Amino acid sequence: MSKLQKIAALGLAGTMAMSLAACGGAASTESTSSAAASADSTASASDSETVTLTWALWDKDSTSQWSALADTYTASHPNVKFDMVDLGSTDYMTQLATQLAGANGELDIVSIKDIPGYANLINLGVLEPLNTTLDVDTSKFNGVIEQLTADDGNYYAVPFISSFWVVYYNKDIFDANNIEYPTNDMTMEQWDAKIREVNEKTGVYGNIYHTWRSTVSLFGILDGKNTIIDGNYDFLKPYYEMILKEQQDGVVPNYGEQKTSGLHYSGAFQNGQAAMCNMGSWFLATMQKYNAEASANGVQPVNFGIVKYPHPDDAPAGSTLGTVTSLAINANSTKKAAAADFLNWCASEEAAEALAATGNFPAVSSDKTSEIIASTDGFPNDENSKEALKTTAVYLEMPLSDKASEIETILNTEHDAIMTESETIDEGIANMNEQVAALLG
């Protein structure tokens, strides 16, 4: 299996994988739908006997994407039913691997939550190659399929939801202090200047970087020249230097204190402690829900907007980070044809619009799905926020590699040491280079 194929830009990508709350143990529920089928939908195999597809997923009752797909599909495929097996979000990929390792056909469709887990399932040989199984125009995914293709030339999963990173900002803080809003075309230098201007004029943090490594180090991959799995991390230095200096100057929260106090990015932004927050598109759904329930909860809604992610000088505006949620077929399923028909449908415009209507950004997106997202209740009512949904290049936070999990552990450890200043930037990067190079052999 693969070391990475060099990161490719995913042209358009989507957003809004809803915030995932940990669920309990496995639970099974059956989903059918009485919704009307769209006029141009075809119920392939509609005259055949009923088939029940067992589908492994997480957080069925707290997220909307699963039922949106199942209900819309079964409306035009009345012979199909779904038995949804909820494995919960905690250790989902580990639990899934355990179930599939038994080489049985109890599961037909499996949801893929992250790239390290996906790489592990490919190594275990439990996923069906999809190159010839599916009848999908892979160009619709704008480079995603290439990033999910293993060294054997096969891809084993099809994305249905994408998420990407934007900047959230509190309009009221900017307005009250006559500060111009951040724009949809900010270089890293302009981003740093805006953070400092806000703090100087308001006394609140200009931005909050969450304690995930991705909020800091992955600015370094936005020019498309570097990856985080090739074993050399010298390119990260200027970004660590910029953000540590912001931290030392007190214009952003201190990383160590954030971890000690449990200060979460959502609370800091919602409470007005930070005027901006660089975060994934899933946070939009959280903010919409927060504002919708603000009155009932006795809090003030946040008048917020979004803009495109800051970018290096030599990268175009709209360059950003992304993750995908995908679907795959159990290699030992006895219902592969029916499962393949569903996965094919998940790449359709009908499926994309069904997802967008629930606030999720589909992996196969269009102007129509962007319009649907922008029309959801609580979406910021300004043109810049709508424009922020358009991306030019989206790079996977963790590309496909059979060493992805081990690399992630090394980088996270050194990131923590750099950000707490228990190591210098040079020491931390040297450790990354040495340890990952040794891992890659």
Side-chain angles (χ1 to χ4, degrees):
M1 207 212 58
S2 101
K3 180 182 169 250
L4 159 90
Q5 314 166 303
K6 296 286 182 186
I7 294 186
L10 322 177
L12 264 181
T15 157
M16 274 168 236
M18 302 280 279
S19 299
L20 301 176
C23 230
S28 177
T29 57
E30 192 171 277
S31 173
T32 59
S33 173
S34 59
S38 63
D40 60 351
S41 295
T42 58
S44 64
S46 60
D47 296 328
S48 63
E49 64 184 29
T50 297
V51 58
T52 298
L53 294 172
T54 304
W55 182 1
L57 44 77
W58 64 88
D59 292 353
K60 174 189 175 294
D61 295 328
S62 59
T63 55
S64 57
Q65 62 266 30
W66 316 116
S67 59
L69 289 176
D71 291 350
T72 309
Y73 181 76
T74 55
S76 57
H77 298 73
N79 62 303
V80 178
K81 296 181 179 180
F82 291 98
D83 183 21
M84 296 184 180
V85 179
D86 191 335
L87 300 180
S89 59
T90 303
D91 296 326
Y92 168 81
M93 292 302 293
T94 300
Q95 292 189 55
L96 178 62
T98 300
Q99 291 214 13
L100 293 176
N104 59 59
E106 293 178 1
L107 297 174
D108 302 303
I109 299 167
V110 297
S111 306
I112 305 297
K113 191 175 185 184
D114 57 53
I115 296 297
Y118 172 60
N120 181 49
L121 294 180
I122 295 176
N123 283 336
L124 291 174
V126 295
L127 299 182
E128 181 75 6
L130 300 181
N131 299 48
T132 57
T133 302
L134 297 187
D135 182 23
V136 168
D137 177 6
T138 57
S139 67
K140 290 171 98 171
F141 298 94
N142 298 304
V144 181
I145 295 297
E146 286 77 6
Q147 295 189 69
L148 295 178
T149 298
D151 277 351
D152 63 5
N154 291 309
Y155 64 93
Y156 295 82
V158 175
F160 70 100
I161 283 179
S162 291
S163 61
F164 61 86
W165 289 64
V166 295
V167 171
Y168 298 79
Y169 66 98
N170 186 316
K171 292 181 178 180
D172 288 345
I173 292 177
F174 281 79
D175 291 342
N177 296 277
N178 297 314
I179 304 172
E180 291 186 3
Y181 294 157
T183 72
N184 277 315
D185 186 358
M186 285 188 294
T187 65
M188 296 306 299
E189 183 178 355
Q190 291 167 334
W191 166 245
D192 177 65
K194 184 62 66 176
I195 290 171
R196 293 177 178 279
E197 179 187 9
V198 170
N199 179 258
E200 179 183 348
K201 292 181 177 180
T202 69
V204 304
Y205 292 124
N207 184 67
I208 180 167
Y209 297 98
H210 192 49
T211 54
W212 298 328
R213 176 182 57 81
S214 50
T215 65
V216 173
S217 65
L218 292 188
F219 286 118
I221 69 172
L222 297 183
D223 60 4
K225 300 175 183 177
N226 302 290
T227 85
I228 61 165
I229 63 171
D230 282 349
N232 188 301
Y233 301 95
D234 295 343
F235 66 91
L236 298 180
K237 184 173 181 178
Y239 304 100
Y240 275 119
E241 287 177 336
M242 183 190 82
I243 293 165
L244 274 182
K245 187 66 168 60
E246 291 174 352
Q247 178 175 287
Q248 291 161 357
D249 292 344
V251 300
V252 300
N254 179 277
Y255 173 93
E257 292 175 3
Q258 274 183 257
K259 296 192 75 172
T260 301
S261 67
L263 179 62
H264 195 268
Y265 69 86
S266 59
F269 184 72
Q270 290 160 354
N271 296 332
Q273 293 172 266
M276 295 188 291
C277 178
N278 60 314
M279 186 47 58
S281 50
W282 56 83
F283 188 41
L284 183 52
T286 301
M287 289 304 302
Q288 288 172 297
K289 184 175 186 291
Y290 178 87
N291 282 350
E293 299 174 352
S295 178
N297 291 332
V299 297
Q300 289 296 316
V302 181
N303 179 22
F304 75 99
I306 60 173
V307 292
K308 296 179 182 182
Y309 217 50
H311 60 88
D313 289 342
D314 54 354
S319 300
T320 187
L321 313 171
T323 60
V324 293
T325 306
S326 305
L327 296 174
I329 298 173
N330 180 4
N332 295 293
S333 169
T334 59
K335 304 169 186 175
K336 292 179 185 176
D341 187 77
F342 176 59
L343 265 62
N344 272 320
W345 176 85
C346 286
S348 70
E349 184 68 17
E350 182 183 26
E353 291 180 13
L355 287 168
T358 64
N360 290 281
F361 237 89
V364 177
S365 59
S366 65
D367 288 344
K368 179 65 179 295
T369 57
S370 293
E371 290 171 7
I372 293 172
I373 291 288
S375 67
T376 57
D377 289 343
F379 187 89
N381 188 24
D382 66 271
E383 291 303 316
N384 278 344
S385 293
K386 295 176 183 177
E387 180 65 22
L389 300 179
K390 300 176 182 178
T391 61
T392 56
V394 182
Y395 299 95
L396 287 181
E397 293 182 39
M398 174 55 73
L400 180 58
S401 167
D402 58 355
K403 304 294 185 184
S405 181
E406 296 96 324
I407 292 173
E408 183 76 5
T409 298
I410 292 169
L411 299 186
N412 285 346
T413 299
E414 296 305 320
H415 172 74
D416 189 77
I418 292 172
M419 293 302 295
T420 56
E421 300 187 64
S422 60
E423 289 179 352
T424 67
I425 296 171
D426 288 340
E427 288 171 341
I429 290 177
N431 288 337
M432 292 179 190
N433 290 343
E434 180 181 350
Q435 294 174 41
V436 175
L439 179 68
L440 297 176

